[in-house]
Amino acid sequence: SGPSRLPMNCKADITFVDVSIPMLKEAQNRYATTDYYINARSVALPLAAESFDFVFCSQLLSHLTDEECIRSLYEMFRILAPEGALLVVDSHKPSRGIANSNEQIQVRQSIDGRCWRVYKRYRATNWFKESLPMEVNHLYEGRFLFSLLWKK
């Protein structure tokens, strides 16, 4: 779920999943139209197989190790209904102002001044194509973000 970047007038049945209780509360504040807020890790989704027509994953995979990323994507495919689609949006490595490594710990600061550290692992889109047996149906690579779409 994270900060939830869905249209505010979305009419679909939505289920939010996040490992972070504060992020689920943020989603609940933004989208009070659903009762489905699940506290879980993406590597082990407590959801029935083939139960979702569409899965949207935004800004999650760059916070996971390679193994967790692959496990999470397999879980997302597991819950997709036949003919379902998975859309992933995540960060590219910025071109400047950041260490040369694809892995790093970043310090974030909230509006109220609290700081925390987050793990970031930048991956090129070809990493997904090479690491997963599922064929990518659509690929977009922007300056800072990329998106990948898989259809079951």
Side-chain angles (χ1 to χ4, degrees):
S1 69
S4 308
R5 306 285 186 225
L6 298 172
M8 296 303 284
N9 60 351
C10 184
K11 302 290 185 214
D13 292 329
I14 301 171
T15 299
F16 293 95
V17 179
D18 205 302
V19 71
S20 165
I21 299 284
M23 288 295 105
L24 286 171
K25 288 182 180 178
E26 175 75 18
Q28 194 170 20
N29 289 338
R30 287 187 188 199
Y31 304 98
T33 59
T34 185
D35 292 325
Y36 305 105
Y37 301 93
I38 300 170
N39 179 231
R41 296 190 65 219
S42 59
V43 296
L45 297 171
L47 301 163
E50 299 185 342
S51 57
F52 289 85
D53 296 321
F54 185 74
V55 174
F56 177 59
C57 176
S58 177
Q59 302 297 323
L60 165 70
L61 301 179
S62 59
H63 294 290
L64 304 177
T65 65
D66 287 349
E67 179 184 334
E68 290 171 326
C69 180
I70 290 169
R71 286 177 53 201
S72 295
L73 286 167
Y74 272 102
E75 275 293 282
M76 292 176 212
F77 276 105
R78 181 185 65 76
I79 66 170
L80 271 183
E83 306 298 317
L86 165 62
L87 175 61
V88 171
V89 177
D90 219 313
S91 303
H92 269 310
K93 182 177 180 180
S95 58
R96 61 182 180 274
I98 204 159
N100 288 331
S101 171
N102 286 334
E103 276 184 84
Q104 63 181 235
I105 302 296
Q106 296 178 353
V107 176
R108 305 275 174 92
Q109 185 171 6
S110 63
I111 294 171
D112 65 4
R114 291 180 294 133
C115 291
W116 67 95
R117 296 163 36 126
V118 296
Y119 172 83
K120 286 292 277 190
R121 167 77 166 97
Y122 295 102
R123 295 175 183 88
T125 51
N126 65 342
W127 180 90
F128 293 92
K129 292 189 227 177
E130 295 167 3
S131 300
L132 297 164
M134 303 75 123
E135 183 180 339
V136 174
N137 298 99
H138 176 76
L139 164 67
Y140 167 78
E141 292 183 272
R143 185 171 173 198
F144 299 108
L145 297 173
F146 68 86
S147 65
L148 299 166
L149 178 69
W150 288 274
K151 293 183 181 175
K152 205 169 188 184

